[in-house]
């Protein structure tokens, strides 16, 4: 048996090499699939990458089918403190299943967390992790001459935005974009549009709410809007490799 501490500092005791892994987060599903594909036996309905993923589905991140997870006899369940409910993870732990919980707030933190998870999976360091490090070593800025101020909505009805201490906020910061709500008390505050601070740009991802050309930009007019790939903005793991280039291209093309 090997004893680890997950990102929350909680003990995770794994009996040998994890041969059966269930993932409750799309980002982690992709990371495990790229690192230890033969070990992945279960994932949520929202886990869309890799595209050819063929595992048992265990419902969603907020309503996982706990009985189905237990029936898969996993050696390890991987989860995230923002995506998954503590009560669900505690219920799995009560059955004796080891649960590894990540806590991702920054690009550097994501890279460290993924390296630790790969180590717990007891597989050789995957090449995608090196590629992700390289992609974020010195990313291109959206505007080399100045920093861009932005609001980043994630939902409407009600309007909710990226606030303080978030992975998406740090991704944009590294690209030369400052979130004007980064000083808000909440991580994802609900803010009326007429109370937003001044900004240069509204950045509209296609997840968790799917903003489109005709659903979102009109609310911020005359402020320019940029539709961006939500996976590049919020997913850690292999999605980090192409994220800087893709986001900069989309933000410059607004």
């Amino acid at each position: 048996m090997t004893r680890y501490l997950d990102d929350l500092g909680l003990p995770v005791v794994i009996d040998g090499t994890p041969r059966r892994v269930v993932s409750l987060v799309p980002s982690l599903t992709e990371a495990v699939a790229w690192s230890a594909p033969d070990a992945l036996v279960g994932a949520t309905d929202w886990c869309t990458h890799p595209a050819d993923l063929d595992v048992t589905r265990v419902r969603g991140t907020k309503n996982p089918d706990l009985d189905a997870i237990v029936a898969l006899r996993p050696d390890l369940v991987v989860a995230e403190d923002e995506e998954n409910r503590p009560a669900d993870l505690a219920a799995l732990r009560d059955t004796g299943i080891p649960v590894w919980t990540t806590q991702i707030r920054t690009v550097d933190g994501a890279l460290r967390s993924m390296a630790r998870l790969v180590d717990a999976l007891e597989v050789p360091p995957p090449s995608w992790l090196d590629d992700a490090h390289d992609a974020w070593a010195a990313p291109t800025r959206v505007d080399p001459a100045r920093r861009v101020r932005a609001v980043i909505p994630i939902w409407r009805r009600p309007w909710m935005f990226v606030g303080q201490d978030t992975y998406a906020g740090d991704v944009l910061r590294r690209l030369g974009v400052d979130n004007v709500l980064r000083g808000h008390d909440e991580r994802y505050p609900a803010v009326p549009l007429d109370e937003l601070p001044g900004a240069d740009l509204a950045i509209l991802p296609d997840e968790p709410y799917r903003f489109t050309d005709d659903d979102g930009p009109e609310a911020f007019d005359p402020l320019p809007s940029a539709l961006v790939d939500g996976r590049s903005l919020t997913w850690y793991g292999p999605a980090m490799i192409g994220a800087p280039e893709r986001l900069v291209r989309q933000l410059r093309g607004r």
Side-chain angles (χ1 to χ4, degrees):
M1 290 189 178
T2 306
R3 183 180 186 274
Y4 299 91
L5 294 178
D6 66 15
D7 287 0
L8 301 184
L10 298 176
V12 183
V13 179
I14 303 175
D15 186 7
T17 300
R19 303 292 186 186
R20 300 178 63 81
V21 178
V22 172
S23 172
L24 300 183
V25 182
S27 295
L28 295 177
T29 297
E30 188 176 30
V32 174
W34 280 41
S35 305
D38 294 338
L40 194 63
V41 296
T44 75
D45 297 343
W46 300 107
C47 295
T48 57
H49 289 74
D52 60 350
L53 186 65
D54 183 17
V55 297
T56 299
R57 301 295 177 160
V58 294
R59 288 205 306 248
T61 59
K62 305 298 186 187
N63 65 335
D65 186 335
L66 301 184
D67 290 337
I69 294 171
V70 172
L72 287 171
R73 298 178 291 105
D75 303 309
L76 183 67
V77 169
V78 292
E80 210 271 335
D81 77 319
E82 184 173 87
E83 293 285 339
N84 305 117
R85 301 186 306 176
D88 292 327
L89 304 185
L92 290 171
R93 291 188 180 98
D94 286 345
T95 69
I97 297 173
V99 178
W100 183 288
T101 308
T102 63
Q103 184 180 72
I104 308 298
R105 300 289 186 268
T106 66
V107 170
D108 289 341
L111 294 170
R112 289 193 298 269
S113 178
M114 294 300 95
R116 295 177 60 247
L117 176 58
V118 167
D119 184 57
L121 294 174
E122 294 191 1
V123 294
S127 60
W128 72 259
L129 194 52
D130 289 334
D131 292 340
H133 273 279
D134 292 343
W136 284 99
T140 301
R141 287 175 46 155
V142 173
D143 186 341
R146 68 183 183 98
R147 297 192 67 80
V148 178
R149 300 173 304 154
V151 292
I152 310 102
I154 59 166
W155 203 257
R156 67 182 304 174
R157 305 182 191 94
W159 284 101
M160 297 180 68
F161 297 83
V162 172
Q164 66 155 321
D165 193 28
T166 66
Y167 176 74
D170 191 59
V171 163
L172 292 170
R173 181 190 65 81
R174 298 278 295 265
L175 302 180
V177 179
D178 293 327
N179 174 17
V180 297
L181 291 173
R182 65 188 182 279
H184 199 282
D185 290 341
E186 299 178 25
R187 298 185 63 236
Y188 298 102
V191 181
L193 295 183
D194 60 1
E195 295 181 14
L196 288 172
D200 305 311
L201 180 67
I203 299 175
L204 283 65
D206 59 10
E207 61 175 76
Y209 186 93
R210 187 173 180 80
F211 291 105
T212 63
D213 283 325
D214 56 2
D215 185 4
E218 79 289 343
F220 298 92
D221 189 59
L223 188 69
S225 295
L227 297 170
V228 300
D229 175 36
R231 181 167 169 265
S232 296
L233 183 63
T234 62
W235 287 38
Y236 37 92
M240 299 173 72
I241 297 170
E245 180 180 346
R246 186 175 300 109
L247 288 170
V248 167
R249 182 174 66 251
Q250 291 172 336
L251 292 170
R252 285 180 172 177
R254 61 188 181 274

